[in-house]
Amino acid sequence: LAKTTQPISMDSYEGQEVNITCSHNNIATNDYITWYQQFPSQGPRFIIQGYKTKVTNEVASLFIPADRKSSTLSLPRVSLSDTAVYYCLVGGGTGFQKLVFGTGTRLLVSP
Amino acid sequence: DAGVTQSPTHLIKTRGQHVTLRCSPISGHKSVSWYQQVLGQGPQFIFQYYEKEERGRGNFPDRFSARQFPNYSSELNVNALLLGDSALYLCASSLTGGVTEAFFGQGTRLTVV
């Protein structure tokens, strides 16, 4: 399964745009890229998923370059409640879903 | 609609004991997966079940077992508990087992003393 590399932590301020980049050099042809958010003592929550180019939903955008060896999660105008750990995952191409979580990126949003 | 529900929310066990954790998936979801999350780390895959059959197993010892019932609920069993089994155990459900959005429960916090 493809290994992912993310920054350990990031700091931001309310109202700013936050971009978290994930490297996945060994991504397989049929793998998808998925991002989850996790608050302390809660289960992860699905944010967004994509295969290539750009995906946007009501909470985030996901940018995937043509070579798919990296991806960037973009959170527009973050608020204090966006303080959480963000996980980048690749996989799902085998047909059954074994989510492989790394250590994630701890995002701290300050006033 | 109720989300993924897990029980109990917390429990404390003694080394060597056995524990059973329970999970009810979202209505209509046929796939249930179990994850272990140790403090400070990301969740680690333990098992996936789909239509009552095991579809995947992570790198965990045979002390860990699971099953899925006809109503798609699931149990995770851990025998001969070790201190290192202390963790948050998460259950996730999805419509199918593939590249679909997984919905996680709040988890069961297991403390082994």
Side-chain angles (χ1 to χ4, degrees):
Chain A
L1 292 168
K3 179 181 176 180
T4 60
T5 303
Q6 308 174 229
I8 294 174
S9 63
M10 294 183 68
D11 294 323
S12 183
Y13 293 96
E14 282 189 293
Q16 289 190 332
E17 178 184 73
V18 171
N19 296 307
I20 306 175
T21 298
C22 178
S23 298
H24 29 79
N25 292 318
N26 297 322
I27 189 169
T29 302
N30 53 356
D31 281 341
Y32 284 74
I33 299 158
T34 311
W35 285 79
Y36 282 82
Q37 175 194 55
Q38 187 176 28
F39 299 111
S41 298
Q42 293 188 23
R45 183 177 72 101
F46 174 93
I47 301 174
I48 197 166
Q49 184 179 76
Y51 183 79
K52 62 180 180 181
T53 62
K54 177 184 175 182
V55 180
T56 297
N57 62 22
E58 63 276 9
V59 298
S61 294
L62 179 60
F63 299 92
I64 305 168
D67 65 5
R68 304 201 327 123
K69 293 184 182 299
S70 67
S71 59
T72 299
L73 174 72
S74 180
L75 304 172
R77 300 184 60 78
V78 294
S79 64
L80 297 177
S81 63
D82 292 318
T83 293
V85 178
Y86 292 82
Y87 294 98
C88 164
L89 292 77
V90 295
T94 60
F96 280 94
Q97 196 176 64
K98 173 184 176 179
L99 301 179
V100 181
F101 291 81
T103 52
T105 298
R106 295 185 177 276
L107 173 66
L108 175 62
V109 180
S110 301
Chain B
D1 272 347
V4 177
T5 57
Q6 293 186 243
S7 64
T9 54
H10 298 81
L11 77 164
I12 300 173
K13 290 286 190 177
T14 304
R15 278 179 298 175
Q17 285 189 316
H18 163 90
V19 69
T20 297
L21 311 180
R22 296 178 174 83
C23 172
S24 293
I26 291 172
S27 177
H29 284 194
K30 298 181 178 181
S31 175
V32 170
S33 300
W34 287 94
Y35 292 80
Q36 179 196 65
Q37 186 171 27
V38 175
L39 199 62
Q41 298 182 19
Q44 299 297 307
F45 173 78
I46 310 175
F47 287 108
Q48 182 188 32
Y49 278 78
Y50 178 73
E51 286 283 17
K52 291 152 284 183
E53 290 187 4
E54 182 182 303
R55 295 290 187 167
R57 174 185 286 253
N59 188 25
F60 280 80
D62 292 343
R63 300 184 295 108
F64 289 76
S65 63
R67 54 180 175 168
Q68 187 177 34
F69 299 100
N71 66 354
Y72 301 109
S73 67
S74 178
E75 282 182 355
L76 175 70
N77 296 284
V78 186
N79 292 323
L81 285 167
L82 304 173
L83 295 179
D85 294 330
S86 296
L88 180 67
Y89 287 85
L90 295 161
C91 172
S93 79
S94 58
L95 275 171
T96 66
V99 290
T100 55
E101 177 180 348
F103 295 82
F104 283 81
Q106 295 283 77
T108 294
R109 172 71 64 186
L110 171 65
T111 301
V112 182
V113 297

